[in-house]
Amino acid sequence: MLHIDTVIKQMKVGYTKPSLVECNDQRQYVMKCQNDVISGKTLFNELIGGRLLHLLQIPTPAFTLGRIYPQLTTDSPVLWSMRAKPGTVFLSSYTRGVSMINPILFKDITNREDLPGIVLFDQMTLNQDRGGNRGNWFVAQKSMELLAIDNSNIFRLADIWDSHTLHADMRIPPERIDFSQPGYQTIGTYFEGKHPFWKYGRLVKKVTDEEFTNLFVNIPLDWNISADDFAAAQQFIKFQFEHIDDIINELESDFKKGGRHNAR
Ligand SMILES: Nc1ncnc2c1ncn2[C@@H]1O[C@H](COP(=O)(O)OP(=O)(O)OP(=O)(O)O)[C@@H](O)[C@H]1O
Ligand SMILES: [Mg+2]
């Protein structure tokens, strides 16, 4: 596993206090670690969300896990100021680009076909932090691809979800995310074809038992995810997979109505 050699700086934005770091492979990453505001559950959300994005072929920066040694949490002023905990961290490969939801710049995105996937991902995982957060739409400078970043708020309740909340969220029709938010309104205008979400329905149906199992393997023990919460997270994603047709039907009818949020 990689380890952090140097903390370069704290990123300009980010509730979780992400930092730009260099690892022992001499590459730069945006690192999320346990600290005074976030727990291992946020890192769990990042890892499961990242793996799920891969499975659905939705572009996101490459990611891996790494380790902060105890010495660095006292030597680095950035880590010291956020009371960073030593241990396993989430690393997203540093990519040049900008965060934005700007309708004019959106026109130049090279991967419009991926946009419905981001919406479906958010609805499936109950991601609460994209539609209204311009920071979580990231356009890579070179490729002009829109990348989905920041899975810290999947499972609806940031890092306070637990087995009870997830069991309550396993229902059809699903709890809806708010499509009236600016990010969704903007990308909705770029959807192509009558059934933009069905490609993902087909992908979900093709997921093998092994691929599903692999979403949840090798979760670091120092993230302290309880056995109940772990099982509930697996059951929740399984439930969403099994009900993918219902989820897509709801999404399609919402987008036909112009992205109106069905408040419940
Ligand atoms: N892999 C990356 N490469 C380059 N920049 C990144 C990368 N990951 C994140 N960033 C930048 O860092 C910012 C903060 O990251 P991120 O959104 O994951 O943190 P956060 O604390 O969960 O944010 P918030 O809660 O404010 O949405 C992003 O808005 C983006 O501009
Ligand atoms: Mg963010």
Side-chain angles (χ1 to χ4, degrees), residues 28-231:
Q28 294 188 349
Y29 297 86
V30 175
M31 173 193 76
K32 291 190 179 181
C33 62
Q34 296 187 66
N35 57 40
D36 55 358
V37 288
I38 66 160
S39 70
K41 235 174 216 174
T42 298
L43 307 182
F44 179 83
N45 292 359
E46 284 289 350
L47 183 60
I48 303 300
R51 287 173 175 174
L52 196 50
L53 285 169
H54 271 186
L55 209 51
L56 298 180
Q57 301 174 8
I58 299 166
T60 187
F63 59 88
T64 185
L65 300 183
R67 183 161 291 140
I68 310 181
Y69 291 130
Q71 186 72 40
L72 193 63
T73 60
T74 50
D75 287 355
S76 153
V78 170
L79 295 189
W80 176 248
S81 68
M82 67 173 82
R83 302 286 177 267
K85 275 198 195 167
T88 318
V89 299
F90 180 83
L91 298 168
S92 169
S93 279
Y94 177 73
T95 309
R96 280 189 194 286
V98 287
S99 282
M100 54 118 195
I101 337 175
N102 176 331
I104 296 170
L105 290 180
F106 250 71
K107 282 210 298 270
D108 296 327
I109 284 166
T110 52
N111 61 327
R112 285 185 189 185
E113 68 283 2
D114 294 326
L115 300 180
I118 297 179
V119 179
L120 180 68
F121 170 85
D122 290 346
Q123 177 60 61
M124 262 180 70
T125 58
L126 302 182
N127 183 6
Q128 295 290 297
D129 191 31
R130 193 170 339 260
N133 184 343
R134 67 174 58 232
N136 294 341
W137 305 89
F138 190 82
V139 180
Q141 197 177 55
K142 244 196 221 157
S143 62
M144 284 302 285
E145 258 193 321
L146 182 76
L147 309 180
I149 62 162
D150 192 356
N151 300 314
S152 292
N153 292 274
I154 66 169
F155 299 132
R156 196 167 63 81
L157 288 168
D159 71 351
I160 57 166
W161 63 264
D162 64 16
S163 58
H164 302 288
T165 66
L166 280 187
H167 280 293
D169 283 335
M170 285 181 225
R171 59 196 165 89
I172 293 298
E175 174 77 28
R176 308 307 305 279
I177 55 170
D178 183 356
F179 292 117
S180 67
Q181 293 174 321
Y184 299 126
Q185 291 292 311
T186 302
I187 69 167
T189 60
Y190 293 105
F191 288 1
E192 284 160 3
K194 273 194 183 155
H195 301 292
F197 302 106
W198 285 105
K199 171 184 155 192
Y200 299 95
R202 286 191 291 275
L203 281 177
V204 164
K205 284 174 193 167
K206 274 200 222 145
V207 170
T208 63
D209 288 347
E210 192 187 356
E211 285 170 328
F212 183 81
T213 305
N214 284 340
L215 285 175
F216 293 91
V217 294
N218 300 331
I219 304 302
L221 289 178
D222 60 5
W223 289 357
N224 298 314
I225 308 298
S226 73
D228 280 355
D229 289 351
F230 178 83

